[in-house]
């Protein structure tokens, strides 16, 4: 057991702040990187120290393994938390951190490597008896890849082997789409992960994305903390996540969770991880991939279990045994998360840039807002477009939806276009209320989700407020006695 | 002693960002804000926060201005409004004859840089004329297609003669 | 100055009776004003919409600073003429505020008979420009007129103060350095074309605006040439070829925005300084004026009570309080400006006339503007008074009054009869503004008196011929005279003929005076001096 005294957070924006807060509660000092293009993060003011990092483009600083480690060592840290994204699933980083004598808050490099390669991960899952969709690995025989893929049947999902986070994936609905899908998937994978290896798998139509939060410690304990449903996606990226999964039969849920625990156990998994599956409309589930890091949507699990997952991560990293057994994990109520992105959801989800001129964070019972920006922060193409996470808990799903819609209406980040109103329309859709969630939801209901035209009364109110908020450049000072006479007319 | 008000009188011309052709006159007076003549009662409750009524219910709006753009949010929906200079012509206000360029003085055509049917953007040089030892470039006054080019190089013209005419593909010729 | 102590009992029967009667008069006034300003035949409003024209009130809304006052002049001109169809004589005039400065507006009202100029329209325009000259107020002309109303051309064209005087006044304003801007929103034909041409700046709207000495029909009749209004005198031609107009606008809001911008670039005038401090509302409620002034002008009241509800803090410094008590003289402030007030509390006698003359001299010398509150039936008559020189003393009052070069403002609160009108600065005496109250009367003498006098003359005429008249026959002579006199003494008749600048709700008197006084400071006060006083 090694107590962490000072933690370096190799990340930024909302997750950096979230980790800082738990670390502080545990009496651990924190250090967060600062970059010339990232000076407005909310963690920067709350961390104990900041360390300047360098890189062009800016994200390169967070992908610079020696740079991150050096920054951690120079600031006297004894542990590194990678957050999510960036280097969190980079086995080389995990190893380099360990080699540098620092504690890596996450699983070992071997496990990251195993699960990071989607093909290896699939094979491992099969050995553990987890169902997988039929697939074809290009590497087995590149020349016959297209033929073998076609043999699986359409629709097909072509994915990057080293991919994740919804990038490097293309659907081919018909045979004639396949060649194009392969070339797109390859170029995207190369661009995002530097690795163009592909595999193709059967695409389940109207799949539900169900994932299980697992946790392992160095004492051989592995538990699950329930499932999350993340079916509302656009371009394979999650927008809305919730727990428990609506309308998932209890028996199926238990099978998926047990299979996930078994998989993690077999891999001797340590720290936080998520086993992602897809569930077909017929109620079959298939292993998709395992993410060897804390996920963006972890607050959903925290809200239904009442646990602090970052705290568990730090304890496990310190060598402690998990403080609770599976039987002690209790689930209460319903939680939901909406990702607040800087994009125009009504114009094809086109990303927007600008500046957060006015920020208003929603509050209220059961409302948690993990905000990644401060007022005045520029929003540029330098970084990911997710500006905040809005997480809501309620005694049941209906209450959660209602609270979420109310909180979305209250959320304001004026100066850049965000998707809060779009998300509210999704939540309002009767199909969503009925729990008819699958990854095709947004495409299927596209027409219904378009924004309503503004009414004349709304337009007038908006103009009246706009005029009042506009600076007084064009206003004239009216002298007396006219100022006091006001709008008098004989 | 009566309290004297220092009144600033504010008259603004606004347009919704996605409706560049429609202008709204908004006047901020003490008793209400007049939007195209209709009085709308609002009040500012805090920095960037305003309160108004819609369908009989009280609504809170947030607004912030940045230069000539004002961002306003109502019920979670965010709208962009631009302030326009009322002394500038509106986008749709171009007169029907605006695509034609006429000679400002008598002279001769020195060079012709386009041909009939060519697409031109506003500001593109179309031809060069000379008179009184002064050369002048005639440029496109709008985006459009060259419809008429009545004069050739070396031809002379009188003041006000038409030198070139562009038509916008959206207009009737 | 000290606060006037009011002796009015607002619970008394007399007060309540007055209040009810005056309220009725005021409500009738408001109804007439509303009708004159806003009621128009549907088809005229539709025509404006089709032509993409705004109403004159909408134009003013865009032109004037929001939330600022507007002192309208002659709202009810022509209310008793032309069968009552030409509201305000088809014109809107008034003092408004643009970019914080006073501007005189002269606007044609195209929703009334196409904005055509009737004889009273000309009188109103000329009066408006006279006000501009006397007070050095910049003028903005909103031009949109069908031209002169030909059937009445002899009353609007040839005379000295007819149409030509408009253009003469424009030239005088220009000579004096007073800016004028024309906004051509409709046609300026024939003489009307000179309005923009004589202005410093002119803005013209594409499509609707046209400036030509002869319109297309006249041109065709004169030379056979066929030409459209747009080509003959439209915006593009005048702003690019002839240079008659300076700015072309795409629509009316655009044109008005340009006019505001032009005005912002004219140089503000340095005002004449007078004794002026921060304003203070009257101590007594101005609404009480309704209960103080009876609607029957023959019933007396104390003018001090009126003063108390018009001036700042109801403070008044009375001059010679014990001498010439039928004339109240004293200093007060209106919207912070110190003024000298002369107010009638009865008939004018020798002493009251002399007091008035002395007081006016003091005010003129000390550069204090004068405010006359009229309720006068005349000077005292009778042998005793003639022997004491009432005629000489009245003459001295008039001579002094005319000699004053400080601005003078008159409000006819009750009656304004005969020579009393003269001494108290009636219309002929170059006051900057003159207003009536809704129940006030103006005539050479009271209707009863006139009817009796004329009846008397007739009776004696017939008596000399040997005829004796019975009561019925006397009545037959008296009644028509009485009726016509009453009609012609009425405030609405006066305002119809533009013998005044408008009928005020008594409660508006303070603001009207305040705005007028402050506007008048744009012109420097003249050199003092007066004629020979018959001592």
């Amino acid at each position: 057991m090694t107590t962490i005294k000072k933690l370096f957070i190799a990340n930024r924006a909302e997750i950096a702040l979230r980790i800082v807060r738990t670390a502080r509660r545990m009496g651990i000092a924190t250090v967060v990187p600062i970059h010339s293009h990232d000076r407005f993060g909310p963690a920067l003011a709350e961390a104990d120290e900041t360390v300047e990092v360098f890189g062009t483009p800016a994200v390169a600083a967070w992908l610079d393994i020696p740079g991150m480690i050096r920054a951690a060592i120079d600031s006297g840290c004894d542990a590194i938390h990678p957050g999510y994204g960036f280097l969190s699933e980079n086995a080389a980083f995990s190893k380099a951190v360990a080699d540098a004598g620092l504690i890596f808050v996450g699983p070992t490099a071997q496990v990251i490597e195993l699960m990071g390669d989607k093909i290896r991960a699939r094979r491992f899952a099969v050995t553990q008896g987890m169902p997988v969709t039929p697939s074809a690995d290009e590497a087995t025989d590149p020349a016959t890849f297209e033929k073998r893929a076609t043999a699986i049947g359409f629709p097909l999902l072509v994915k990057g082997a080293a991919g994740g986070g919804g990038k490097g994936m293309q659907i081919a609905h018909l045979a004639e789409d396949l060649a194009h899908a392969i070339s797109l998937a390859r170029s995207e994978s190369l661009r995002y992960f530097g690795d163009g290896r592909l595999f193709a798998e059967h695409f389940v139509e109207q799949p539900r994305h169900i994932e299980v939060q697992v946790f392992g410690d160095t004492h051989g304990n592995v538990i699950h903390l329930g499932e999350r449903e993340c079916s509302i996606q656009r371009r394979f990226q999650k927008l809305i996540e919730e727990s428990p999964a609506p309308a998932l039969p209890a028996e199926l849920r238990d099978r998926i969770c047990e299979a996930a625990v078994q998989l993690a156990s077999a891999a001797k998994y340590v720290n936080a991880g998520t086993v992602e599956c897809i569930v077909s409309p017929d109620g079959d589930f298939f292993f998709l991939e395992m993410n060897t890091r804390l996920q963006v949507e972890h607050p959903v699990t925290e809200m239904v279990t009442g646990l602090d997952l970052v705290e568990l991560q730090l304890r496990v990293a310190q060598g402690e045994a998990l403080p609770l057994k599976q039987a002690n994990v209790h689930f209460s109520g319903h939680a939901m998360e909406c990702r607040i992105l800087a994009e125009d959801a009504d114009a094809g989800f086109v990303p927007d840039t600008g500046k957060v001129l006015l920020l208003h964070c929603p509050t209220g019972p059961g409302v948690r807002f993990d905000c990644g920006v401060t007022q005045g922060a520029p929003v540029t193409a330098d970084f990911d477009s997710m500006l905040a996470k809005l997480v809501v808990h309620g005694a049941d799903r209906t209450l959660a939806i209602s609270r979420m819609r109310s909180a979305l209406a209250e959320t304001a980040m004026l100066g850049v276009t965000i998707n809060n109103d779009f998300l509210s329309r999704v939540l309002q859709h009767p199909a969503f209320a009925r729990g008819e969630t699958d990854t095709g939801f947004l495409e299927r209901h596209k027409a219904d989700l378009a924004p309503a035209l503004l009414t004349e009364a709304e337009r007038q109110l908006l103009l009246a407020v706009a005029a009042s908020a506009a600076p007084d450049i064009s206003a004239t000072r009216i002298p007396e006695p006219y100022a006091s006479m006001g709008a008098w007319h004989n | 002693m009566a309290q004297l008000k220092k009144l600033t009188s504010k008259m603004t011309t606004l347009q919704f960002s996605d409706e560049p052709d429609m202008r709204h006159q908004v006047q901020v007076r003490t008793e209400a804000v007049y939007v195209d003549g209709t009085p709308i009662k609002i009040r500012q409750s805090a920095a960037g926060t305003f309160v108004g009524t819609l369908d009989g219910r009280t609504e809170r709006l947030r607004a912030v201005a940045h230069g000539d753009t004002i961002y306003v949010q109502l019920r979670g929906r965010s709208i962009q409004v631009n302030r326009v200079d009322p002394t500038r012509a509106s986008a749709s206000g171009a007169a029907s004859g605006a695509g034609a360029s006429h000679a400002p003085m008598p002279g001769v055509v020195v060079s012709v840089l386009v041909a009939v049917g060519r697409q031109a953007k506003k500001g593109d040089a179309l031809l060069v004329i000379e008179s009184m030892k002064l050369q002048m470039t005639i440029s496109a006054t709008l985006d459009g297609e060259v419809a008429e080019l009545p004069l050739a190089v070396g031809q002379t013209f009188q003041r006000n003669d038409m030198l070139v005419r562009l038509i916008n593909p959206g207009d009737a010729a | 100055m000290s606060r006037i102590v009011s002796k009015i009992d607002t619970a008394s029967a007399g007060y309540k009776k007055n209040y009810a009667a005056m309220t009725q008069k005021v409500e009738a006034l408001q109804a007439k004003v509303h009708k004159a300003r806003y009621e128009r035949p549907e088809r005229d409003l539709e025509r404006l919409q089709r032509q993409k024209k705004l109403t004159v009130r909408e134009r003013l809304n865009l032109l004037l600073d929001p939330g600022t006052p507007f002192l309208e002049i002659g709202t009810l001109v022509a209310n008793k003429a032309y069968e009552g169809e030409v509201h305000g004589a088809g014109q809107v005039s008034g003092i408004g505020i643009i970019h914080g400065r006073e501007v005189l507006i002269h606007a044609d009202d195209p929703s009334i008979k196409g904005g055509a100029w009737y004889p009273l329209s000309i009188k109103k325009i000329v009066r408006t420009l006279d006000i501009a000259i006397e007070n050095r107020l910049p003028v903005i002309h909103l031009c949109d007129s069908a031209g002169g109303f030909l059937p009445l051309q002899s009353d609007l064209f040839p005379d000295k103060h007819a149409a030509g005087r408009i253009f003469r006044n424009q030239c005088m304003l220009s000579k004096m350095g007073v800016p004028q801007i024309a906004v051509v929103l409709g046609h300026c034909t024939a003489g009307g074309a000179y309005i923009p041409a004589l202005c410093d700046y002119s803005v013209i709207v594409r499509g609707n605006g046209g400036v030509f000495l002869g319109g297309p029909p006249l041109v065709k009749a004169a030379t056979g040439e066929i030409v459209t209004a747009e080509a003959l005198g439209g915006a593009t031609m005048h702003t690019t070829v002839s240079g008659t107009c300076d700015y072309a606008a795409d629509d009316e809001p655009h044109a008005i925005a340009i006019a505001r911008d032009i005005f912002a670039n004219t140089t503000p005038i340095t005002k004449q300084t007078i004794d002026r401090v921060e304003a203070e509302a009257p101590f007594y409620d101005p609404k009480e004026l309704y209960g103080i002034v009876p609607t029957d002008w023959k019933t007396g009241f104390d003018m001090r009570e009126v003063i108390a509800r018009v001036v700042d803090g109801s403070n008044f410094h009375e001059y010679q309080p014990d001498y010439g008590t039928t004339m109240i003289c004293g200093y007060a402030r209106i919207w912070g400006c110190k003024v000298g007030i002369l107010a009638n509390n009865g008939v004018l006698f020798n002493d009251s006339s002399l007091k008035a003359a002395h007081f006016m001299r003091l005010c003129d010398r000390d550069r204090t503007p004068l405010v006359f509150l009229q309720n006068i039936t005349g000077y005292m008559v009778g042998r005793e008074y003639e022997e004491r020189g009432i005629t000489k003393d009245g003459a001295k009052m008039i001579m002094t009054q005319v000699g004053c070069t400080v601005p003078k403002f008159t409000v006819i609160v009750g009656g304004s009869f005969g020579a009393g009108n003269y001494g108290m600065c009636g219309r002929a005496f170059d006051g900057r503004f003159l207003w009536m109250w809704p129940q006030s009367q103006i005539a050479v003498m009271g209707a009863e008196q006139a009817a009796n006098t004329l009846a008397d003359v007739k009776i004696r005429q017939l008596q000399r011929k040997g005829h004796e008249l019975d009561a019925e026959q006397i009545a037959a002579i008296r009644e028509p005279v009485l009726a016509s006199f009453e009609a012609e003494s009425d405030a609405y008749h006066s305002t119809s003929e533009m013998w005044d600048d408008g009928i005020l709700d008594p409660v508006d008197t303070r603001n009207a005076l305040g705005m007028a006084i402050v506007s008048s400071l744009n012109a420097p006060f003249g050199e003092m001096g007066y004629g020979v006083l018959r001592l």
Side-chain angles (χ1 to χ4, degrees), chain B residues 7-44:
Chain B
L7 179 75
T8 48
S9 171
K10 199 150 89 178
M11 190 183 272
T12 26
T13 307
L14 299 174
Q15 70 187 42
F16 287 98
S17 290
D18 52 7
E19 290 172 8
D21 288 346
M22 195 141 91
R23 292 183 170 189
H24 304 275
Q25 307 295 334
V26 187
Q27 299 182 350
V28 180
R29 305 190 206 173
T30 32
E31 75 279 9
V33 177
Y34 287 76
V35 177
D36 295 323
T38 310
I40 307 288
K41 277 200 190 294
I42 59 168
R43 64 178 172 85
Q44 180 156 15

Side-chain angles (χ1 to χ4, degrees), chain A residues 144-335:
Chain A
T144 55
F145 178 50
E146 253 191 76
K147 199 161 98 177
R148 285 181 289 122
T150 309
I152 295 172
F154 291 89
L156 269 177
L157 189 53
V158 181
K159 296 163 74 161
K167 301 260 198 304
M169 295 166 60
Q170 290 292 325
I171 301 179
H173 287 282
L174 305 163
E176 48 259 44
D177 302 330
L178 184 54
H180 187 60
I182 287 174
S183 104
L184 276 180
R186 190 176 328 275
S187 62
E188 213 176 49
S189 295
L190 276 167
R191 188 164 73 243
Y192 281 101
F193 312 109
D195 186 341
R197 286 177 304 130
L198 299 177
F199 72 104
E201 62 182 21
H202 173 63
F203 179 70
V204 175
E205 303 252 44
Q206 295 192 308
R208 295 174 67 178
H209 177 116
I210 307 288
E211 60 188 36
V212 181
Q213 178 72 55
V214 295
F215 234 108
D217 65 18
T218 49
H219 301 253
N221 301 308
V222 176
I223 57 172
H224 74 79
L225 298 178
E227 85 288 10
R228 294 185 291 257
E229 168 140 19
C230 313
S231 299
I232 308 298
Q233 306 179 358
R234 65 121 190 77
R235 293 201 283 262
F236 300 115
Q237 286 183 294
K238 301 162 186 171
L239 279 189
I240 302 177
E241 305 100 344
E242 58 182 314
S243 178
L248 190 70
E251 174 274 332
L252 177 56
R253 173 193 178 274
D254 290 340
R255 268 199 294 138
I256 298 173
C257 290
E258 271 152 30
V261 169
Q262 191 179 328
L263 182 72
S265 267
K268 297 193 180 12
Y269 195 87
V270 173
N271 218 294
T274 300
V275 178
E276 297 194 339
C277 301
I278 45 172
V279 174
S280 74
D282 303 323
D284 299 317
F285 80 94
F286 305 93
F287 172 77
L288 202 59
E289 58 188 47
M290 181 172 186
N291 295 326
T292 55
R293 56 173 161 86
L294 187 71
Q295 304 246 127
V296 170
E297 60 272 23
H298 74 272
V300 171
T301 297
E302 292 186 323
M303 300 286 257
V304 291
T305 59
L307 298 170
D308 182 332
L309 297 193
V310 171
E311 181 187 341
L312 291 180
Q313 281 191 297
L314 292 168
R315 286 195 187 290
V316 164
Q318 286 178 152
E320 290 174 41
L322 281 169
L324 70 172
K325 302 246 176 285
Q326 189 68 66
N328 304 119
V329 178
H330 300 293
F331 302 94
S332 159
H334 198 103

Side-chain angles (χ1 to χ4, degrees), chain B residues 114-121 124 126 143-146 166-167 169:
Chain B
V114 293
V116 171
R118 228 285 278 282
Q119 294 297 322
K121 290 187 77 57
D124 283 354
L126 304 172
D143 294 349
E145 184 185 299
V146 178
L166 296 170
I167 49 163

Side-chain angles (χ1 to χ4, degrees), chain B residues 59-73:
Chain B
E59 294 288 351
R60 190 173 50 193
L61 297 96
R62 297 193 198 276
V64 66
H66 186 65
D68 282 332
T69 306
I70 307 125
Y71 302 88
V72 193
Q73 181 157 318

Side-chain angles (χ1 to χ4, degrees), chain A residues 476 479-480 482 486 488-490, chain C residues 37 68-70 72 102 508:
Chain A
T476 332
E480 289 296 337
Y482 310 121
W488 171 80
H489 187 172
N490 59 320
Chain C
R37 283 180 184 160
T68 53
F70 185 62
E72 191 166 342
E102 298 101 349
D508 283 338

Side-chain angles (χ1 to χ4, degrees), chain C residues 233-349:
Chain C
T236 309
M237 194 287 284
H238 277 310
T239 56
T240 61
V241 178
S242 74
T244 308
C245 294
D246 307 315
Y247 307 81
D250 297 321
D251 53 29
E252 295 200 7
H254 187 197
I256 292 168
I258 293 174
R260 279 183 58 91
D261 200 33
I262 296 168
F263 186 68
N265 282 293
T266 58
T267 309
I269 282 172
T270 316
K271 288 193 180 210
Q272 166 79 44
T273 34
I274 56 166
D275 181 346
R276 194 175 164 190
V277 300
E278 243 182 275
E280 191 188 331
F283 179 78
Y284 300 104
D285 182 2
K287 263 267 166 95
E288 289 172 356
L289 288 166
Y290 291 4
I292 292 165
V293 178
T295 52
D296 169 21
W297 61 266
K298 290 196 217 79
T299 311
F301 59 93
D302 186 354
M303 199 56 105
R304 282 183 199 84
E305 300 290 355
V306 172
I307 295 172
R309 287 152 184 83
V310 172
V311 303
D312 288 8
S314 304
N315 290 323
F316 187 58
H317 168 108
E318 192 167 351
Y319 169 73
Q320 279 190 331
D322 303 317
Y323 178 79
T325 55
T326 60
M327 170 66 78
I328 301 173
C329 297
Y331 299 113
R333 290 189 185 278
I334 295 181
W335 281 102
C337 301
K338 192 176 95 186
V339 295
I341 299 186
L342 288 96
N344 304 118
N345 243 15
V347 178
L348 282 164
F349 291 86

